[in-house]
Amino acid sequence: MISRRRVKPLATRPRVAIVGANFGGLRAAQELGPEFDVTVFDPSAWFEWLPNIHELVSRAKRPADLRLPRKRLVAAAGHRFVRDAVSAIDAKRGTLTTAGDEVHAFDFCIVAVGGVDATYGVPGVERYAMPFRSVEQCDAIGRRLAALLKGRKARSIVVAGGGFAGVEALGEILRRYRSRDNLALHIVEAGPGLMSGVSPRIDAAVRKHVRAYDVQIHTRSPVAAITPAGVRLQGGKRLRSDLTIWTGGSVAPPLLHAARLAPKPLQWAPVDATLRSRRYGNVFVIGDAAALPAAVPKQAFHALEMGECAAANVRRAAAGRALRRYRPSRTPLLVAFGDLDTFLVAGRSVVANPTLAAGKEAVYQVTMTQIDPPSSVRAIGQLASRVIGVTRRLAPSR
Ligand SMILES: Cc1cc2nc3c(=O)[nH]c(=O)nc-3n(C[C@H](O)[C@H](O)[C@H](O)COP(=O)(O)OP(=O)(O)OC[C@H]3O[C@@H](n4cnc5c(N)ncnc54)[C@H](O)[C@@H]3O)c2cc1C
């Protein structure tokens, strides 16, 4: 760290700033060795395993199951962690500024800031809906649901957004509360079906599963407003809601445009096939934040792969060698529908089977262990208790 306005002279080792330390950023940090002077920035203390955060809604997982301490992981890779948001990047000067007003100089910057909630300008989203994007938010939803459904009073819950996150949220509410006769559920989607961008099979399967319960699926129904009383749809229909969960998808964080990495607000940062910013040669943009020449699905596995590729390209650029292209692997997406079903999505093909839930759980356990390999008896004990605890809570109740 250096004081504001005074930029540290060039270090002997190339200085790498990594902005954002979840999938992409953390993997890049873990791939860079001691030949680089690496500083990693993130406002949150925890790496978060987002693909399973829906399970916090049913309490099948607890926050501790899905979090790892960033400071320890970054230190284990031999680097510095600064727990602060980056508020500005000046790629031309090779400096960034944190929210705490510290200025840091870099030779290379890897930007891995992910996305933020898309609200489409719908009034009331920030004020009256609960967001569904982080461990803290999904845990808050799980606690609110538990409090609402403690008594016998009739309750109505609306999930706004019928993409994969909305389907997963609905599934988790059903996993835990489907036996309740005082619960009405709604899922609202602007498009023609749930996850309609993928395949009509998912919509059909979900409709079949929810037939026995008080669940209404509203498609071709864009949300007009969220109010304290509920959700108003564009056609004028009103849905009473005690809890509205917002799963409206992602847009780019303001930093990308402010740093001139994206041409317009809300747009992802264009990069070439090597993940290098189209605008600045010393900046790589990876994970959800990157707009590649050929679109890559915004998935955790791709962010991890891009972290590896960006680290390799920083090494190459520092050595004056040609950069390598990022070649995404074909990775299916596993979408859970509580304990009722799991969908394996590969391109536009879908396979549905509840037993695939074990596959999603295995990906989570194995990748968490790769990110944080146990290096002591205590760490092995912690890993074992995570696996045992989660297995118990996921087991169907008898
Ligand atoms: C609800 C949900 C369910 C999902 N399910 C799946 C799934 O089943 N399978 C799958 O493959 N993918 C899934 N995804 C997508 C997956 O989580 C993302 O593709 C992945 O997290 C992208 O990784 P990333 O590193 O690019 O960004 P993120 O994981 O979003 O991390 C971005 C990091 O940047 C930090 N940051 C942001 N702004 C700043 C700043 N200004 N300064 C410093 N740090 C900053 C944030 O704090 C965060 O830690 C899901 C996403 C969500 C939200």
Short mmCIF file of all heavy atoms in Angstrom, two decimals, residues 19-25 41-44 50-51 53 70 84-86 112-115 132-133 164-165 168 255 286-289 298-301 303 333-334 360, ligand 1:
data_model
loop_
_atom_site.label_atom_id
_atom_site.label_comp_id
_atom_site.label_asym_id
_atom_site.label_seq_id
_atom_site.Cartn_x
_atom_site.Cartn_y
_atom_site.Cartn_z
N VAL A 19 -8.29 -7.73 -8.69
CA VAL A 19 -9.47 -7.03 -8.16
C VAL A 19 -10.64 -8.01 -8.15
O VAL A 19 -11.15 -8.40 -9.21
CB VAL A 19 -9.80 -5.79 -9.02
CG1 VAL A 19 -10.95 -5.02 -8.39
CG2 VAL A 19 -8.58 -4.91 -9.18
N GLY A 20 -11.04 -8.45 -6.96
CA GLY A 20 -12.09 -9.48 -6.83
C GLY A 20 -11.44 -10.82 -6.59
O GLY A 20 -10.57 -11.24 -7.35
N ALA A 21 -11.84 -11.50 -5.48
CA ALA A 21 -11.15 -12.74 -5.11
C ALA A 21 -12.15 -13.87 -4.87
O ALA A 21 -12.10 -14.55 -3.85
CB ALA A 21 -10.29 -12.51 -3.87
N ASN A 22 -13.06 -14.03 -5.83
CA ASN A 22 -13.90 -15.23 -5.71
C ASN A 22 -13.35 -16.26 -6.70
O ASN A 22 -12.16 -16.54 -6.68
CB ASN A 22 -15.38 -14.89 -5.89
CG ASN A 22 -16.22 -15.67 -4.89
OD1 ASN A 22 -15.85 -15.74 -3.72
ND2 ASN A 22 -17.28 -16.29 -5.32
N PHE A 23 -14.16 -16.81 -7.58
CA PHE A 23 -13.66 -17.91 -8.41
C PHE A 23 -12.47 -17.50 -9.28
O PHE A 23 -11.39 -18.06 -9.18
CB PHE A 23 -14.80 -18.46 -9.28
CG PHE A 23 -15.82 -19.21 -8.48
CD1 PHE A 23 -16.96 -18.58 -8.02
CD2 PHE A 23 -15.62 -20.53 -8.14
CE1 PHE A 23 -17.89 -19.26 -7.26
CE2 PHE A 23 -16.54 -21.22 -7.38
CZ PHE A 23 -17.67 -20.58 -6.94
N GLY A 24 -12.68 -16.52 -10.15
CA GLY A 24 -11.63 -16.15 -11.10
C GLY A 24 -10.42 -15.54 -10.42
O GLY A 24 -9.28 -15.97 -10.65
N GLY A 25 -10.65 -14.54 -9.58
CA GLY A 25 -9.54 -13.81 -8.97
C GLY A 25 -8.72 -14.67 -8.03
O GLY A 25 -7.48 -14.63 -8.04
N PHE A 41 -7.48 -7.78 -3.88
CA PHE A 41 -8.45 -6.86 -3.25
C PHE A 41 -9.85 -7.46 -3.30
O PHE A 41 -10.30 -7.92 -4.37
CB PHE A 41 -8.49 -5.52 -4.00
CG PHE A 41 -7.16 -4.81 -4.04
CD1 PHE A 41 -6.21 -5.15 -5.01
CD2 PHE A 41 -6.86 -3.84 -3.11
CE1 PHE A 41 -4.97 -4.51 -5.04
CE2 PHE A 41 -5.62 -3.19 -3.13
CZ PHE A 41 -4.69 -3.53 -4.11
N ASP A 42 -10.54 -7.43 -2.19
CA ASP A 42 -11.96 -7.79 -2.18
C ASP A 42 -12.56 -7.21 -0.90
O ASP A 42 -11.93 -7.29 0.16
CB ASP A 42 -12.15 -9.32 -2.20
CG ASP A 42 -13.54 -9.73 -2.69
OD1 ASP A 42 -14.53 -9.39 -2.01
OD2 ASP A 42 -13.64 -10.36 -3.76
N PRO A 43 -13.77 -6.64 -0.97
CA PRO A 43 -14.33 -6.05 0.24
C PRO A 43 -14.80 -7.09 1.25
O PRO A 43 -15.05 -6.76 2.42
CB PRO A 43 -15.53 -5.24 -0.28
CG PRO A 43 -15.87 -5.84 -1.60
CD PRO A 43 -14.59 -6.40 -2.16
N SER A 44 -14.95 -8.34 0.81
CA SER A 44 -15.50 -9.35 1.72
C SER A 44 -14.41 -10.30 2.19
O SER A 44 -13.50 -10.67 1.43
CB SER A 44 -16.62 -10.11 1.00
OG SER A 44 -16.73 -11.39 1.54
N LEU A 50 -20.86 -19.93 -4.65
CA LEU A 50 -22.20 -19.45 -5.04
C LEU A 50 -23.11 -20.53 -5.65
O LEU A 50 -24.32 -20.46 -5.48
CB LEU A 50 -22.06 -18.27 -6.01
CG LEU A 50 -21.30 -17.06 -5.45
CD1 LEU A 50 -21.18 -15.95 -6.49
CD2 LEU A 50 -21.98 -16.52 -4.21
N PRO A 51 -22.56 -21.54 -6.39
CA PRO A 51 -23.48 -22.49 -7.03
C PRO A 51 -24.40 -23.25 -6.06
O PRO A 51 -25.37 -23.85 -6.50
CB PRO A 51 -22.54 -23.44 -7.78
CG PRO A 51 -21.35 -22.59 -8.10
CD PRO A 51 -21.18 -21.72 -6.89
N ILE A 53 -25.67 -21.70 -3.07
CA ILE A 53 -26.23 -20.81 -2.04
C ILE A 53 -27.74 -20.98 -1.89
O ILE A 53 -28.29 -20.65 -0.86
CB ILE A 53 -25.90 -19.30 -2.22
CG1 ILE A 53 -26.21 -18.82 -3.63
CG2 ILE A 53 -24.49 -18.99 -1.82
CD1 ILE A 53 -26.02 -17.31 -3.77
N ARG A 70 -10.64 -15.73 2.93
CA ARG A 70 -9.78 -15.24 1.82
C ARG A 70 -8.36 -14.94 2.30
O ARG A 70 -7.40 -15.25 1.60
CB ARG A 70 -10.36 -13.95 1.25
CG ARG A 70 -11.56 -14.18 0.41
CD ARG A 70 -11.80 -13.04 -0.57
NE ARG A 70 -12.75 -13.51 -1.55
CZ ARG A 70 -14.03 -13.11 -1.59
NH1 ARG A 70 -14.49 -12.22 -0.74
NH2 ARG A 70 -14.83 -13.60 -2.51
N ASP A 84 -10.78 -4.64 0.95
CA ASP A 84 -11.39 -3.36 0.59
C ASP A 84 -11.84 -3.44 -0.87
O ASP A 84 -11.28 -4.21 -1.66
CB ASP A 84 -10.36 -2.22 0.75
CG ASP A 84 -11.03 -0.86 0.90
OD1 ASP A 84 -12.27 -0.79 0.79
OD2 ASP A 84 -10.30 0.12 1.13
N ALA A 85 -12.85 -2.63 -1.20
CA ALA A 85 -13.30 -2.57 -2.59
C ALA A 85 -12.37 -1.64 -3.37
O ALA A 85 -11.84 -0.69 -2.81
CB ALA A 85 -14.73 -2.04 -2.66
N VAL A 86 -12.19 -1.94 -4.63
CA VAL A 86 -11.45 -1.03 -5.50
C VAL A 86 -12.48 -0.06 -6.10
O VAL A 86 -13.48 -0.48 -6.67
CB VAL A 86 -10.71 -1.82 -6.59
CG1 VAL A 86 -10.18 -0.91 -7.69
CG2 VAL A 86 -9.57 -2.63 -5.96
N ALA A 112 -11.61 -9.25 -11.76
CA ALA A 112 -12.51 -10.42 -11.62
C ALA A 112 -13.65 -10.05 -10.69
O ALA A 112 -13.86 -10.68 -9.66
CB ALA A 112 -11.71 -11.60 -11.07
N VAL A 113 -14.39 -9.01 -11.07
CA VAL A 113 -15.38 -8.42 -10.14
C VAL A 113 -16.78 -9.02 -10.27
O VAL A 113 -17.69 -8.60 -9.55
CB VAL A 113 -15.45 -6.88 -10.30
CG1 VAL A 113 -14.20 -6.22 -9.75
CG2 VAL A 113 -15.67 -6.48 -11.75
N GLY A 114 -16.98 -9.99 -11.16
CA GLY A 114 -18.30 -10.63 -11.26
C GLY A 114 -19.36 -9.66 -11.73
O GLY A 114 -19.07 -8.70 -12.46
N GLY A 115 -20.61 -9.90 -11.30
CA GLY A 115 -21.72 -9.05 -11.72
C GLY A 115 -22.51 -8.53 -10.53
O GLY A 115 -22.23 -8.89 -9.38
N PHE A 132 -30.66 -12.35 -3.97
CA PHE A 132 -30.31 -13.78 -3.91
C PHE A 132 -28.96 -13.97 -4.59
O PHE A 132 -28.88 -14.58 -5.65
CB PHE A 132 -31.43 -14.52 -4.67
CG PHE A 132 -31.39 -16.02 -4.60
CD1 PHE A 132 -32.01 -16.70 -3.57
CD2 PHE A 132 -30.75 -16.76 -5.58
CE1 PHE A 132 -32.00 -18.08 -3.53
CE2 PHE A 132 -30.74 -18.14 -5.55
CZ PHE A 132 -31.36 -18.81 -4.52
N ARG A 133 -27.89 -13.37 -4.05
CA ARG A 133 -26.63 -13.38 -4.79
C ARG A 133 -25.43 -13.73 -3.92
O ARG A 133 -24.36 -14.02 -4.45
CB ARG A 133 -26.45 -11.98 -5.43
CG ARG A 133 -25.15 -11.72 -6.13
CD ARG A 133 -25.18 -10.44 -6.88
NE ARG A 133 -26.08 -10.53 -8.00
CZ ARG A 133 -25.78 -11.05 -9.17
NH1 ARG A 133 -24.58 -11.52 -9.41
NH2 ARG A 133 -26.68 -11.11 -10.12
N PHE A 164 -32.22 -19.85 -13.78
CA PHE A 164 -31.79 -20.98 -12.94
C PHE A 164 -31.84 -20.64 -11.45
O PHE A 164 -32.21 -21.48 -10.63
CB PHE A 164 -30.42 -21.54 -13.38
CG PHE A 164 -29.27 -20.61 -13.13
CD1 PHE A 164 -28.62 -20.60 -11.91
CD2 PHE A 164 -28.82 -19.76 -14.12
CE1 PHE A 164 -27.55 -19.75 -11.67
CE2 PHE A 164 -27.76 -18.90 -13.89
CZ PHE A 164 -27.13 -18.89 -12.66
N ALA A 165 -31.53 -19.38 -11.10
CA ALA A 165 -31.52 -19.03 -9.67
C ALA A 165 -32.95 -19.06 -9.12
O ALA A 165 -33.17 -19.54 -8.00
CB ALA A 165 -30.89 -17.65 -9.48
N GLU A 168 -33.98 -22.64 -8.67
CA GLU A 168 -33.32 -23.23 -7.50
C GLU A 168 -33.93 -22.71 -6.20
O GLU A 168 -34.11 -23.48 -5.24
CB GLU A 168 -31.81 -22.97 -7.55
CG GLU A 168 -31.14 -23.75 -8.69
CD GLU A 168 -29.63 -23.86 -8.61
OE1 GLU A 168 -28.97 -22.88 -8.23
OE2 GLU A 168 -29.10 -24.93 -8.95
N LEU A 255 -17.88 -0.32 -11.79
CA LEU A 255 -16.42 -0.13 -11.91
C LEU A 255 -15.92 -0.37 -13.35
O LEU A 255 -15.00 0.29 -13.81
CB LEU A 255 -15.70 -1.08 -10.94
CG LEU A 255 -14.17 -1.03 -10.96
CD1 LEU A 255 -13.66 0.33 -10.47
CD2 LEU A 255 -13.56 -2.14 -10.11
N ILE A 286 -11.57 -11.23 -16.33
CA ILE A 286 -11.91 -12.66 -16.33
C ILE A 286 -13.24 -12.92 -15.62
O ILE A 286 -13.78 -12.05 -14.95
CB ILE A 286 -10.78 -13.49 -15.66
CG1 ILE A 286 -10.59 -13.08 -14.19
CG2 ILE A 286 -9.48 -13.34 -16.43
CD1 ILE A 286 -9.61 -13.97 -13.43
N GLY A 287 -13.72 -14.15 -15.80
CA GLY A 287 -14.95 -14.56 -15.12
C GLY A 287 -16.16 -13.87 -15.72
O GLY A 287 -16.18 -13.49 -16.89
N ASP A 288 -17.18 -13.69 -14.88
CA ASP A 288 -18.44 -13.10 -15.36
C ASP A 288 -18.23 -11.72 -15.96
O ASP A 288 -18.98 -11.29 -16.84
CB ASP A 288 -19.43 -12.98 -14.20
CG ASP A 288 -20.04 -14.32 -13.80
OD1 ASP A 288 -19.63 -15.35 -14.36
OD2 ASP A 288 -20.92 -14.33 -12.91
N ALA A 289 -17.22 -10.98 -15.48
CA ALA A 289 -17.03 -9.58 -15.91
C ALA A 289 -16.58 -9.47 -17.37
O ALA A 289 -16.71 -8.41 -17.97
CB ALA A 289 -16.00 -8.91 -15.00
N LYS A 298 -21.76 -17.73 -18.19
CA LYS A 298 -21.24 -17.18 -16.93
C LYS A 298 -21.39 -18.23 -15.85
O LYS A 298 -22.39 -18.29 -15.14
CB LYS A 298 -21.96 -15.87 -16.60
CG LYS A 298 -21.71 -14.82 -17.70
CD LYS A 298 -21.82 -13.43 -17.23
CE LYS A 298 -21.59 -12.41 -18.36
NZ LYS A 298 -20.25 -12.45 -18.96
N GLN A 299 -20.38 -19.09 -15.75
CA GLN A 299 -20.39 -20.21 -14.81
C GLN A 299 -19.09 -20.20 -14.01
O GLN A 299 -18.03 -19.80 -14.51
CB GLN A 299 -20.48 -21.54 -15.56
CG GLN A 299 -21.87 -21.86 -16.06
CD GLN A 299 -21.89 -23.12 -16.91
OE1 GLN A 299 -22.40 -23.10 -18.03
NE2 GLN A 299 -21.34 -24.21 -16.40
N ALA A 300 -19.19 -20.74 -12.79
CA ALA A 300 -18.05 -20.75 -11.89
C ALA A 300 -16.84 -21.47 -12.50
O ALA A 300 -15.71 -21.01 -12.39
CB ALA A 300 -18.45 -21.41 -10.57
N PHE A 301 -17.11 -22.60 -13.16
CA PHE A 301 -16.00 -23.38 -13.70
C PHE A 301 -15.22 -22.57 -14.74
O PHE A 301 -13.99 -22.62 -14.79
CB PHE A 301 -16.54 -24.68 -14.32
CG PHE A 301 -15.45 -25.58 -14.81
CD1 PHE A 301 -14.74 -26.35 -13.90
CD2 PHE A 301 -15.12 -25.64 -16.14
CE1 PHE A 301 -13.70 -27.17 -14.34
CE2 PHE A 301 -14.09 -26.44 -16.60
CZ PHE A 301 -13.38 -27.22 -15.68
N ALA A 303 -14.98 -19.33 -14.81
CA ALA A 303 -14.22 -18.28 -14.09
C ALA A 303 -12.91 -18.87 -13.55
O ALA A 303 -11.86 -18.23 -13.63
CB ALA A 303 -15.07 -17.70 -12.97
N LEU A 333 -24.04 -27.47 -16.79
CA LEU A 333 -24.53 -26.75 -15.61
C LEU A 333 -25.51 -27.68 -14.89
O LEU A 333 -26.36 -28.29 -15.54
CB LEU A 333 -25.25 -25.48 -16.07
CG LEU A 333 -25.82 -24.57 -15.00
CD1 LEU A 333 -24.71 -23.92 -14.18
CD2 LEU A 333 -26.68 -23.47 -15.64
N LEU A 334 -25.36 -27.80 -13.57
CA LEU A 334 -26.30 -28.63 -12.80
C LEU A 334 -27.23 -27.70 -12.04
O LEU A 334 -26.78 -26.90 -11.22
CB LEU A 334 -25.53 -29.53 -11.83
CG LEU A 334 -24.89 -30.77 -12.48
CD1 LEU A 334 -23.79 -31.33 -11.60
CD2 LEU A 334 -25.93 -31.84 -12.78
N LYS A 360 -23.97 -32.74 -8.19
CA LYS A 360 -23.79 -31.32 -7.82
C LYS A 360 -23.06 -31.22 -6.48
O LYS A 360 -22.17 -30.40 -6.30
CB LYS A 360 -25.15 -30.63 -7.78
CG LYS A 360 -25.06 -29.14 -7.53
CD LYS A 360 -26.21 -28.36 -8.12
CE LYS A 360 -26.09 -26.89 -7.74
NZ LYS A 360 -26.05 -25.95 -8.81
C1 LIG B 1 -27.43 -17.61 -7.20
C2 LIG B 1 -26.35 -18.08 -8.11
C3 LIG B 1 -26.26 -19.42 -8.46
C4 LIG B 1 -25.26 -19.85 -9.33
N1 LIG B 1 -25.21 -21.19 -9.64
C5 LIG B 1 -24.19 -21.63 -10.44
C6 LIG B 1 -24.02 -23.02 -10.72
O1 LIG B 1 -24.81 -23.84 -10.26
N2 LIG B 1 -22.97 -23.39 -11.49
C7 LIG B 1 -22.08 -22.50 -11.99
O2 LIG B 1 -21.13 -22.88 -12.66
N3 LIG B 1 -22.22 -21.18 -11.77
C8 LIG B 1 -23.25 -20.72 -11.01
N4 LIG B 1 -23.39 -19.39 -10.76
C9 LIG B 1 -22.50 -18.46 -11.46
C10 LIG B 1 -21.15 -18.38 -10.79
O3 LIG B 1 -21.33 -18.19 -9.41
C11 LIG B 1 -20.37 -17.25 -11.43
O4 LIG B 1 -20.19 -17.55 -12.80
C12 LIG B 1 -19.03 -17.08 -10.74
O5 LIG B 1 -19.22 -16.72 -9.39
C13 LIG B 1 -18.20 -16.02 -11.45
O6 LIG B 1 -16.99 -15.91 -10.81
P1 LIG B 1 -16.21 -14.52 -10.81
O7 LIG B 1 -14.93 -14.77 -10.10
O8 LIG B 1 -16.19 -13.96 -12.17
O9 LIG B 1 -17.15 -13.53 -9.98
P2 LIG B 1 -17.77 -13.67 -8.54
O10 LIG B 1 -17.76 -15.05 -8.05
O11 LIG B 1 -19.09 -12.97 -8.62
O12 LIG B 1 -16.79 -12.83 -7.63
C14 LIG B 1 -16.59 -11.47 -7.79
C15 LIG B 1 -15.81 -10.98 -6.58
O13 LIG B 1 -15.41 -9.64 -6.84
C16 LIG B 1 -15.58 -8.88 -5.68
N5 LIG B 1 -15.72 -7.48 -6.08
C17 LIG B 1 -16.76 -6.93 -6.72
N6 LIG B 1 -16.52 -5.62 -6.91
C18 LIG B 1 -15.30 -5.38 -6.39
C19 LIG B 1 -14.51 -4.21 -6.28
N7 LIG B 1 -14.92 -3.04 -6.75
N8 LIG B 1 -13.30 -4.31 -5.69
C20 LIG B 1 -12.85 -5.49 -5.21
N9 LIG B 1 -13.58 -6.62 -5.29
C21 LIG B 1 -14.78 -6.56 -5.87
C22 LIG B 1 -16.81 -9.47 -5.01
O14 LIG B 1 -16.83 -9.17 -3.61
C23 LIG B 1 -16.63 -10.95 -5.29
O15 LIG B 1 -15.93 -11.58 -4.27
C24 LIG B 1 -24.36 -18.93 -9.88
C25 LIG B 1 -24.44 -17.58 -9.53
C26 LIG B 1 -25.42 -17.16 -8.64
C27 LIG B 1 -25.49 -15.68 -8.26
#
